[in-house]
Amino acid sequence: MTDAGGAAMTINSRSNSRTAWFFILPAVIIMLAACLYPVISAARLGFYDWSMGTPWSQAKWTGWTSFEIVFTDPAVWRSLWTTLKFAAVSVSAEMFLGIALALALEGNIRGMAFFRTLFILPMMVAPIAVGLTWRYLFDAQFGLINALLAVFDVAAKGWLADETLAFAAIIIADIWQWTPFVFIMVIAGLSSVDSTVLEAARIDGARWWTVTRRVKLPMIAHVLAITLVMRLIDAFRVLEVIYVLTFGGPGDSTEVLSMYIYKTAFIGQRLGSASAISVLLLAVVMFLTWLALRMSNPLDDENGQ
Amino acid sequence: MKRRDLLKAGGLAGILAAGQFPLIKGVFAQDRYAKYRGQTVVMSVPSHPHYDAMTKILPDFTAETGIKVELDKMSLARIKDKQLLEMAKPQGDYDLACYVVMWKTEYVKKNLVEPLEPFFQNQALADPNYDMDDIVKGYLEVQGLVGGPKTYLPGPGAKLYGLPYGSETSILAYRKDIFEKHGFKAPQTYDDLQKLLAPLKAKSGIGALSSRGQSGHQCVHAWLLHLNPLGGEVFDANWNPVFNSQAGIDALKLLKEISDTGPAGIPSYGQGETINAFLQGQAAMYLDSILIMGLVNDPEKSKIVGQVGYALHPKGVRYASQSGGLGLTMPKNSKNKDAAFLLLQWLTSKAADFKVTMAGGNAIRMSTLNNPDILKKYPDFAILKEQLKYVEPDWRPIIAEWDEINIQALGIGISEALTGKKSPEEALNGIVPKVTDIMKRGGYLKA
């Protein structure tokens, strides 16, 4: 809260505070209903053994068993490790490429509006369609990727038939789809940087790289942190593209945690265990979010800390 | 036990009797439908060539009976979740639901679907000329019966919960032109098949046999295609896993060889890629669902029009072709059960089966396959008729736990053998503990 805001609070009576609550109440109720209720309900499901299509009255109370299984099931830890590798590689690449693209295309370069629109197209495509598109692109027989490699005399590869290449394939598809998100966030951040500060730096003799590294990027650190957090959260929840592209295979080489949760819930019909693993996933994502926000809290400045 | 005994034991005696004794035959067709004129039957159906063909003949049903039909069409991948949600409500939207054979025991175990026998015994509804015996035996048993001693096969306690509609078996398709050019013969046994793979690839310059191989259901399906003729089983009579027997290992070794001599990328192939590789001329053989028969001569989808011959699924220690595909069942919470039954009965009748087959669907009746008009339009059905004798109802254990065993245990191990990460022995032996755990959890084995 700013000083002006603080002063206003002291002047205003308690009734004003009530009015404020009255206005934000609908939003609070919607948030609670939409966010908190499903989380609590999922956590509750973790204590029961219930199968879809049967009445809830038939659900059996299993106590902490499902949560204990989370820690003893090697498949949970293997898929969590796969998720961590996937998130680390894909989000790093997206951040790097997104920032680089934004720096290259910022400012009033002619025709850039067109390219900016073009670049954000992938993130508008439905994930299932992205998965299918890349499945065809990576096809060993008819895929465009192998056709392009053939131009450089590289032998055709069974991209989705090899554990390492399949892992690379899901990362490539993710980078293609989500680099534009980083790009759009960074370019919005860059456009808000005060031009007088940049001008002052240039007058002081700073070159492009120094201005970028010492002025621009630190000034949009909040934007970068938020972007990183959002991408990490998404990367931990990734499901649809992998579902279509590899279904977790070959073997279980691309089985990320959400894919394992999906299989446990809807194939193994163990909704309790799936809920317990979901709680683990939620905890991991919350920890990462907290960590990233701690690194650069956009609310710090406003609080004057 | 003869088939008649099995069916009687399974509670189908009444249905069969209805066809035999004129006194308890159903009423005339017009009377049968009159009461339900104006009602709407809602069907949950997948996007699938057979159901596309069904859509073409539905107007005939409405014209004949005055009963309207509404379709809720979605992809097979999503349809089960939606059906489970609908069928769990006190009153659901669906009157008929199309199900994959593997879901039948789960639906019955959860008390979601109606047994059909009371409807077939209801004189006001049953068609006296229905002739259940005419439906392909393997299809009827595997698609419809639940509750026998093995839970998914005929025997005492088995009841009819669904009818085959979109059922299929496996057949061998091969490129006549390539085989003739290089002097090869279509393989009749698994020995022939195995010996053919390497030379066929070497001489033709394309993959020998197209096959599924993607992690999960797809690679297990491919392995089961060979496990059954080679004499293997997933479980013994006491539900102990025996899929790692010599036959299981041989089937997986063969599948690996098929993958290595096939079109590139088999370990990533789903059904679509498998069919496509053959249709686009990248493989000289195809051994899988009869779905291929409706596609090879479609110039929009196929580059091999007129070049394909068919042979029986090769014999190992026995003939045993795939049993599976789709069927229709009636949710317990349907609002219009009688009208739904009338539609189900009409669709699977002799006349409608002929029509749907002419429209490109899968026949379920021998009378359809014997029909001269059908054989004139589809001359290759002569071999299909022969193949249907060898449909193996116990092709895979259709217990409620099968999805998990299929996708999360076998589907991972077999995939790892195909990529070479593990040897076939290592892969199959490695899955036994996981499958044993699942069977213990399901109460089949002692914990």
Side-chain angles (χ1 to χ4, degrees), chain B residues 248-266:
Chain B
I249 291 165
D250 288 347
L252 188 47
K253 279 183 181 163
L254 176 69
L255 185 58
K256 171 87 172 107
E257 204 176 330
I258 288 169
S259 173
D260 294 344
T261 56
I266 281 185

Side-chain angles (χ1 to χ4, degrees), chain A residues 51-53 135 141 251 269-270, chain B residues 110 215 263-264 268 273 282 415:
Chain A
S51 172
M52 264 176 80
R135 200 174 157 92
Q141 291 285 343
Q269 294 278 315
R270 291 183 292 135
Chain B
K110 290 179 175 171
S215 181
S268 66
E273 285 90 353
Q282 300 292 329
S415 171

Side-chain angles (χ1 to χ4, degrees), chain A residues 51-54 135 139-142 160-161 163 243 246-247 249-252 260 263-264 266-270, chain B residues 81 84 88 106 110 112 214-215 263-264 267-270 273 280 282 403-404 407-408 412 415-416 419 421 441:
Chain A
S51 172
M52 264 176 80
T54 56
R135 200 174 157 92
D139 190 286
Q141 291 285 343
F142 315 105
L160 305 174
E163 298 208 344
Y243 182 103
T246 64
F247 199 66
D252 49 18
Y260 184 66
K263 287 181 179 176
T264 305
F266 298 108
I267 291 164
Q269 294 278 315
R270 291 183 292 135
Chain B
D81 295 347
L84 280 171
E106 183 188 336
K110 290 179 175 171
L112 299 173
Q214 192 189 19
S215 181
S268 66
Y269 279 17
E273 285 90 353
Q280 297 301 313
Q282 300 292 329
D403 259 359
E404 187 178 6
I407 294 170
Q408 290 190 281
I412 290 176
S415 171
E416 285 175 338
T419 57
K421 189 180 177 187
R441 202 180 340 114

Side-chain angles (χ1 to χ4, degrees), chain A residues 84-268:
Chain A
L84 280 168
K85 283 192 292 182
F86 170 79
V89 179
S90 59
V91 175
S92 309
E94 285 154 21
M95 290 298 289
F96 176 78
L97 290 171
I99 293 169
L101 267 177
L103 287 170
L105 298 180
E106 68 168 329
N108 296 320
I109 307 169
R110 219 176 148 189
M112 275 309 147
F114 169 74
F115 283 108
R116 283 184 205 174
T117 315
L118 194 70
F119 284 147
I120 60 168
L121 277 177
M123 60 184 270
M124 297 181 191
V125 182
I128 292 286
V130 172
L132 281 173
T133 308
W134 281 98
R135 200 174 157 92
Y136 288 122
L137 289 172
F138 282 123
D139 190 286
Q141 291 285 343
F142 315 105
L144 190 64
I145 310 260
N146 274 352
L148 286 175
L149 289 176
V151 174
F152 302 100
D153 271 347
V154 180
K157 295 184 188 315
W159 282 90
L160 305 174
D162 175 277
E163 298 208 344
T164 314
L165 291 177
F167 192 73
I170 60 169
I171 286 175
I172 291 170
D174 198 75
I175 291 173
W176 176 82
Q177 187 174 25
W178 290 110
T179 298
F181 172 75
V182 179
F183 166 75
I184 209 168
M185 292 289 280
V186 175
I187 211 151
L190 287 173
S191 67
S192 68
V193 171
D194 191 345
S195 60
T196 55
V197 180
L198 300 177
E199 216 168 298
R202 281 191 204 106
I203 289 166
D204 285 347
R207 286 164 185 261
W208 180 85
W209 174 238
T210 316
V211 172
T212 302
R213 197 164 64 94
R214 297 283 171 109
V215 184
K216 280 186 189 169
L217 292 182
M219 286 185 80
I220 61 163
H222 305 147
V223 176
L224 295 179
I226 291 286
T227 310
L228 179 69
V229 168
M230 291 177 83
R231 277 311 307 135
L232 274 179
I233 292 172
D234 272 348
F236 268 81
R237 294 183 316 162
V238 66
L239 174 69
E240 298 96 327
V241 173
I242 295 178
Y243 182 103
V244 177
L245 208 50
T246 64
F247 199 66
D252 49 18
S253 56
T254 57
E255 191 173 271
V256 289
L257 196 58
S258 47
M259 186 83 222
Y260 184 66
I261 292 172
Y262 170 82
K263 287 181 179 176
T264 305
F266 298 108
I267 291 164

